[in-house]
Amino acid sequence: MASLKIPHFLLFALIVATSTSAGTIGINYGRVANNLPNPSTVVSLLKSHGISRVKLYDADPTVLRALSGTGIRTTITVPNELLISTATKPSFASAWVSRNVASHYPDTLIDVVSVGNEVFVDPHNLSNYLVPAMSNIHQALVDHRLDSAVKVSSPIALSALQSSYPPSSGSFKPDLAASVIKPMLEFLRRTGSFLMVNAYPFFAYEANSDVISLDYALFRPNPGVLDPGNGLRYYSLLDAQIDAVFAAMSALKYDDLRLVVTETGWPSKGDPKETGASVDNAAAYNGNLARRVLVSDLNTPRKPQADIDVYLFALFNENQKFGPTSERNYGLFYPNEEAVYEIAFTADGATPRRKEVPQVKAVAPAAAGGGGGGVTTSSVGTTWCVANGRAAREKLQQALDYACGEGKADCRAIQPGQACFDPNTIEAHASFAFNSYYHRNGRRVGTCDFQGAAYVVTQAPKFGKCELPTGA
């Protein structure tokens, strides 16, 4: 993980999710600590939380044996210190694959080999060895007839970008683009692999908290940031960071490649100067991101159909990591397996309301007392927040899930059998939840937007027999 320090004028941006498919959340299992449980216990922890993907920073045989038979998809890593040998000695790469992949697969579902980690920021200047090392590992997989099942890639940090704001101007550093990144992207295309990216909105927010909204960084409702280069509006910092990478790939003519976020997270504790590091913010970032991925998949304004897999960093707090306090406090769990904070790793746990409301056609506002949604007489000085009937159903559902979940809206009345369950439509239920959230947050500017899924009205709304209250 490399810290990204961004000048104050490099504002990043946030989130629009439109896909109806659901993704998966993986976890990075780092072990730079002297107090962690044994691998078998860790695997039991992963299984108990429904975690189906794990990424390792080595290929420890004890860990790989513990993962055997679990069905957990596993990414293993050729450490940076082995990169030169892997690149210059095909026999070394062949032996490494034989020992660390072929001897465990398929009992342990190794599906990715990460060759190095953030090689471009490694102080040992290993960049020129990266693509040869990747090629030798891939050839060894071909020799073992494992190249279809196991892909080869390498995570890059956002510091590989020369430009990242606005996202549409994203480009790679010139000294890396031609010599290393373009050959790497060509290798990924040729082998049917994908680009790994480590992205941390926390670093950008920490360095620029005076100009970057915390809501924007934590996937909370916010007015968004417009990219003047392409007219797209961003509602999350992570989306903007990802799209900056997509723009950089596009500049090199590699629009067709997939991208996987192999590290992202938020620390639960930091030094006094590490603005934003807290348990509440870590729970909000990881919880909201996981909910988005699991319920509606992670896509971006530039790539609305790109279903992006995400690996959270990290499984445990690691007490032997160097650097500021935050480096030792990215874990979702303490070494005793107690959760630092609660988030969901499966769709069932991430969706506050599992009942799906049927898609309905938009209707004109009905008169008071009718069966549809409408606006009644004026109520001077009072405002309400209602769903935008023209918004996509998926956007309304995502915003509804947020309001009733992390947003802490009072959604009891729209549960089955309760007073405002009927009419059972996405617009009616969302309006009730949005209005509760709006009033609970003091009707502040920006709390009735939900990324364009809601707006403020000055006449009392009514849906069927359900009137929206004027309080929380």
Side-chain angles (χ1 to χ4, degrees), residues 277-406:
S278 72
V279 170
D280 287 345
N281 289 344
Y285 180 83
N286 286 320
N288 289 336
L289 174 57
R291 185 179 299 112
R292 179 181 168 193
V293 172
L294 295 168
V295 174
S296 59
D297 239 326
L298 178 63
N299 357 77
T300 67
R302 185 184 181 98
K303 292 276 191 175
Q305 303 304 318
D307 298 333
I308 302 171
D309 292 328
V310 173
Y311 288 77
L312 299 180
F313 185 89
L315 186 57
F316 294 109
N317 285 340
E318 299 171 68
N319 67 351
Q320 293 185 315
K321 296 198 73 174
F322 295 107
T325 298
S326 62
E327 286 293 317
R328 295 174 289 283
N329 288 279
Y330 274 88
L332 275 66
F333 295 91
Y334 295 108
N336 65 0
E337 301 177 68
E338 177 186 347
V340 178
Y341 46 85
E342 297 290 341
I343 72 165
F345 295 96
T346 63
D348 286 345
T351 308
R353 300 175 62 259
R354 293 305 298 164
K355 179 169 181 66
E356 291 290 333
V357 291
Q359 181 142 15
V360 293
K361 294 182 179 179
V363 295
V375 176
T376 60
T377 57
S378 176
S379 180
V380 178
T382 302
T383 56
W384 294 262
C385 182
V386 298
N388 180 358
R390 295 184 178 181
R393 179 176 178 274
E394 293 79 10
K395 178 179 283 190
L396 288 176
Q397 184 67 59
Q398 184 192 17
L400 171 59
D401 290 340
Y402 169 83
C404 292
E406 205 264 336

